[in-house]
Amino acid sequence: MSYASPLRATLERLEELIAERGLRSSDLFTAPSLADATALPESIVRMLLQGGEPPADTVNERVRTRIKALADARMARTGERMSELAGKISQQLGVSAFWARQVCSGTKVPSIELLHGLVEVFGVQAGETFFTASPAEALNRELLPILAALDPAQDGQESDAKCGSETRGEMAEVRGIALRQAMDLPKERWNVLEATLKALLEVDDREERQ
């Protein structure tokens, strides 16, 4: 397989755990949901999931296309028009509405300073790297929480290696804190995480009844 090694390792481990638990990958994620969460084209997500390597791109291309994807998704979700979204960005970032429209339409690349402001505008959790990471890095970032939820034993082993005195109750509290913090995730990322947790709970319930 030709994708970057961190993504390869994540996908291989996910495949193992999905098989062990008798799940399907669609129980945990789909290409459309991952495309929404990463602001990547669905075709690129499918290519990466299948082990392919997308065409080479530049950081500027990534920034332009991902901002446009986020803007399009927001307008579709809220019913806002481009002029309304551009107006809000203009007020929030202190830039012209014309500039904001160009950025949201993917025709202009913002400066680093203004890119930081767009992180807040669109509520992305990964900071500026959400816009600049390679497609493989962006996809891997979204899959890692799914892997962590699917493989709590691994989390426990890593924590035991660091703090051998931790009890199961303490570990549960740590996970509870993590979930409470996850309440701030954008809707698209919550959808992916929620599907993962739902699938795991269904598997645990079936195992308890057997």
Side-chain angles (χ1 to χ4, degrees), residues 97-160:
F98 177 71
W99 177 91
R101 180 188 288 268
Q102 285 186 305
V103 169
C104 289
S105 64
T107 59
K108 189 175 182 63
V109 179
S111 66
I112 294 297
E113 180 181 0
L114 293 175
L115 187 62
H116 178 74
L118 291 171
V119 167
E120 298 183 3
V121 168
F122 291 109
V124 296
Q125 299 297 305
E128 290 84 351
T129 59
F130 179 91
F131 301 103
T132 60
S134 71
E137 291 169 338
L139 182 58
N140 193 52
R141 182 187 63 233
E142 292 302 321
L143 290 174
L144 285 176
I146 299 175
L147 177 60
L150 194 61
D151 193 11
Q154 180 174 330
D155 287 346
Q157 291 169 2
E158 292 175 354
S159 298
D160 289 343

Side-chain angles (χ1 to χ4, degrees), residues 13-137:
R13 183 58 180 151
L14 278 171
E15 289 174 2
E16 293 173 359
L17 292 168
I18 287 170
E20 288 175 6
R21 289 180 171 268
L23 298 171
R24 297 170 300 178
S25 61
S26 59
D27 294 327
L28 307 176
F29 57 81
T30 63
S33 66
L34 290 172
D36 288 342
T38 58
L40 292 171
E42 186 178 330
S43 60
I44 296 298
V45 171
R46 291 186 184 279
M47 184 182 300
L48 288 167
L49 290 175
Q50 294 168 4
E53 185 173 351
D57 60 0
T58 66
V59 172
N60 282 349
E61 288 172 339
R62 297 170 193 169
V63 171
R64 287 191 297 101
T65 57
R66 291 177 199 176
I67 292 175
K68 183 180 186 302
L70 290 176
D72 289 346
R74 173 166 167 167
M75 288 186 290
R77 184 174 64 251
T78 65
E80 288 179 300
R81 293 175 298 179
M82 175 63 82
S83 59
E84 294 172 323
L85 176 57
K88 291 179 180 179
I89 293 176
S90 172
Q91 292 180 349
Q92 188 168 338
L93 301 186
V95 298
S96 71
F98 177 71
W99 177 91
R101 180 188 288 268
Q102 285 186 305
V103 169
C104 289
S105 64
T107 59
K108 189 175 182 63
V109 179
S111 66
I112 294 297
E113 180 181 0
L114 293 175
L115 187 62
H116 178 74
L118 291 171
V119 167
E120 298 183 3
V121 168
F122 291 109
V124 296
Q125 299 297 305
E128 290 84 351
T129 59
F130 179 91
F131 301 103
T132 60
S134 71
E137 291 169 338

